[in-house]
Amino acid sequence: MKHNGYKIDNSGFFIDISYDGYVINFKRYCTTNPRHFHTPQKEVHVETVKDYLMKETSCNLFLSTSNNQGKLVYKIEPPFYSVGVDEYPSHPVKEEDLVISKPLRSVNSSAETIEEMIGLTNEHEYIRESKDPGLRGKVFRKKNLTLVSSDKSIDNYMRERNDETIKIQYKENGKIKGIFSFENPPANLRKKYNRKQGYERALQFLEKVLPSHQTILRFGGVSYNTDESWVLVTFYLTSNIPFEYGGMINVNVCRKTLRIVYYMEPETEVDKLLSLQEETTLISATKAKETLLSLLEVEAVWKEDEEKGCFTLHYQTNLLEPNFHSRMNAKTGELLD
């Protein structure tokens, strides 16, 4: 449906016709009669909007740490998906850097082993191993521990597999990549360790699993979890080129026992991620923007404003459509999901 040559958003109708020609279902998706159309003060120039988007679109280089991990990626972000004609040109809000990281503290090394720091002792036994080649891991539980299930439900099955276990994920070279502890500390122990002590414990643990941490990490923050049973410590990888999702490493410490209950490195090897900052891009930021914006469609549509009780004219783009890409491999020019 259209008004004055412009499409009405979310409008149209559906007709279901039987084989013998009878209309058996009809539905109209937009009722325009009670509403009026608000004539914009400015004339619509779609090409002008495209020029504006080209100038205001941000195109930033990242080290990808999730999808397409281990690659230099341009993240291309035009400033709007939909904006009222009378509001154009609206200047995009620039994202501020939310992370103000600090250098790491120096702490005394711990004489404990990694196993002692996560609470894995000779009282534990190995109970199973992941058979997935992409997820190497082992699961441990204390010997002769009996878990009673009241029924055969999925919830109880998962509890039997996870309760009171320590899970260790390994890298291809056999070194530890992640720690997940589901052991519950004794109920009679009080929460005696604070955030400072948890932070120092996290640094002692990093000395064991990531010996180069002092040169490649910066402190991001420390807090308690919801019930204040853990100290949550965040670190960020340092890099000349920012990481797409922060290059974050978390270490969680139990406040009752000072044991490490959670640790996970980025999906891509830390050394590989840091070596990428020495590489150079083959595709310029300008070329990346031009390639992406050549696929950008802009049209003027009437959108219903329920508060004003009328339709207003908006510029709308195809940014949110499933086949629209907003990331590009900075070396090959390949558009990424």
Side-chain angles (χ1 to χ4, degrees), residues 72-74 76 281-284 287-288 291-292 295 325 327-336:
L72 292 178
V73 171
Y74 280 122
I76 309 168
T281 61
L282 300 180
I283 307 297
S284 68
K287 180 63 177 177
T291 301
L292 189 79
L295 306 174
H325 304 271
R327 298 163 76 248
M328 175 186 287
N329 188 314
K331 302 197 75 173
T332 65
E334 175 191 3
L335 291 175
L336 308 172

Side-chain angles (χ1 to χ4, degrees), residues 294-305:
S294 68
L295 306 174
L296 187 69
E297 298 174 3
V298 178
E299 64 176 340
V301 299
W302 294 101
K303 295 180 74 71
E304 188 173 11
D305 189 324

Side-chain angles (χ1 to χ4, degrees), residues 22 39 103 172 208 211 241 257:
Y22 287 97
T39 304
E172 290 185 0
K208 309 286 185 181
I241 302 173
T257 64

Side-chain angles (χ1 to χ4, degrees), residues 128 141 153-163 167:
R128 67 177 181 271
R141 180 181 276 147
S153 66
I154 293 178
D155 286 345
N156 274 321
Y157 170 75
M158 295 305 296
R159 276 195 290 270
E160 286 180 1
R161 287 183 63 84
N162 296 321
D163 276 8
K167 299 183 179 182

